[in-house]
Amino acid sequence: AMAEEAKKLAAYAAVDNHIQNNQVVGVGSGSTIVYAVDRLAERVRQEKLNIVCVPTSFQARQLILQHGLSLSDLDRHPDLDVAIDGADEVDDSLTLIKGGGGCLTQEKIVAGCAKHFIVIADFRKDSTALGQQWKKGVPVEVVPMAYVPVSRAITRRFGGEAVLRMAVSKAGPVVTDNSNFILDWKFEHVQNWKEVNTAIKMIPVAPIAGIDIRVQLSKRRVQLQAQQLILR
Ligand code: DER
């Protein structure tokens, strides 16, 4: 389908343009990154690249192992050259919503350890304002015992509704790779995402908001690979 082709084209372009030899690469999670890892593995084989990969989820770790790529972690490689990942939505100032795949926490940690953060977002993710295309809200990872107080703190302060993400192939809530729960915060109109991101992070028991703010990533080039080739 057109969307899959767009994801693949964007992922291939991102890997071809932003991954070089002798790099430590943070590997994101989701479905777009599958194409990126396919292409990375192809390049490693063809160009005999020396690449070390740090995963952001069980899924990413499986992808790295399945492709025979060199697996590492933040203990051995706390300084990454580049992290490459997907996103659920991107606005005009490159503020992202991430966490649709439930992997936002390790993604955010690994991206924070990288000099450059490459976001692969095909045309479907490209919005002028968050919430335009992505209707599932902002994922917020929480310690399970705190999901009710955190949910109330968010909705009291910023309105909307924060809903516990329930599993599909398992009874009960989704449990993340960090053994936490996820609240999907169906926000209304948000003026200042930086303020919201900071406020959510300040709620006791340290919930993690699936918002990447350009200002946080200003130290590293945030390169949005919005793929329009298909629509040309
Ligand atoms: O969980 C995440 O943030 C992932 O990057 C994910 O939501 C992106 O998903 P997709 O590549 O399957 O659209």
Side-chain angles (χ1 to χ4, degrees):
M2 185 172 79
E4 283 307 307
E5 188 56 24
K7 278 156 79 168
K8 181 174 179 181
L9 282 168
Y12 276 49
V15 170
D16 289 348
N17 300 336
H18 298 289
I19 306 285
Q20 292 139 30
N21 196 13
N22 300 317
Q23 282 191 322
V24 181
V25 179
V27 174
S29 308
S31 61
T32 305
I33 204 69
V34 173
Y35 293 112
V37 175
D38 283 348
R39 179 60 183 153
L40 178 62
E42 198 173 57
R43 286 195 56 201
V44 165
R45 267 193 314 277
Q46 284 169 357
E47 303 167 45
K48 307 225 178 323
L49 299 182
N50 167 36
I51 295 286
V52 170
C53 295
V54 175
T56 58
S57 62
F58 288 131
Q59 180 218 1
R61 185 175 185 281
Q62 285 179 315
L63 281 176
I64 293 163
L65 292 172
Q66 282 158 7
H67 283 279
L69 290 164
S70 167
L71 173 70
S72 187
D73 50 37
L74 295 181
D75 304 52
R76 286 173 286 180
H77 292 96
D79 297 313
L80 284 73
D81 298 294
V82 59
I84 188 162
D85 202 348
D88 300 306
E89 190 172 34
V90 189
D91 73 7
D92 287 346
S93 56
L94 293 186
T95 301
L96 312 174
I97 290 183
K98 289 186 59 47
C103 304
L104 59 154
T105 297
Q106 293 184 32
E107 289 174 340
K108 209 164 190 174
I109 292 165
V110 168
C113 296
K115 294 185 195 68
H116 299 291
F117 183 39
I118 305 296
V119 178
I120 309 169
D122 62 79
F123 65 95
R124 294 169 307 144
K125 305 349 186 7
D126 206 3
S127 294
T128 51
L130 296 183
Q132 210 171 54
Q133 308 216 51
W134 177 257
K135 301 299 181 190
K136 297 178 182 172
V138 172
V140 178
E141 183 157 342
V142 295
V143 172
M145 57 87 81
Y147 83 90
V148 170
V150 170
S151 169
R152 284 190 320 189
I154 293 173
T155 51
R156 273 193 197 134
R157 176 82 183 269
F158 293 107
E161 192 192 2
V163 179
L164 182 62
R165 187 182 295 186
M166 301 310 283
V168 175
S169 326
K170 168 194 169 291
V174 165
V175 176
T176 69
D177 295 347
N178 317 299
S179 304
N180 288 328
F181 287 168
I182 290 183
L183 294 171
D184 288 303
W185 174 45
K186 313 273 195 294
F187 56 90
E188 284 144 9
H189 178 70
V190 169
Q191 193 61 34
N192 179 333
W193 281 107
K194 185 171 179 302
E195 179 207 328
V196 167
N197 187 53
T198 305
I200 291 178
K201 286 160 78 79
M202 293 302 287
I203 299 170
V205 281
I208 303 272
I211 295 274
D212 278 330
I213 306 285
R214 183 182 177 97
V215 70
Q216 278 180 337
L217 303 173
S218 59
K219 294 189 293 297
R220 296 169 293 282
R221 207 163 32 87
V222 177
Q223 178 72 27
L224 171 63
Q225 199 75 23
Q227 189 56 44
Q228 303 292 345
L229 274 190
I230 284 282
L231 298 180
R232 197 173 279 168

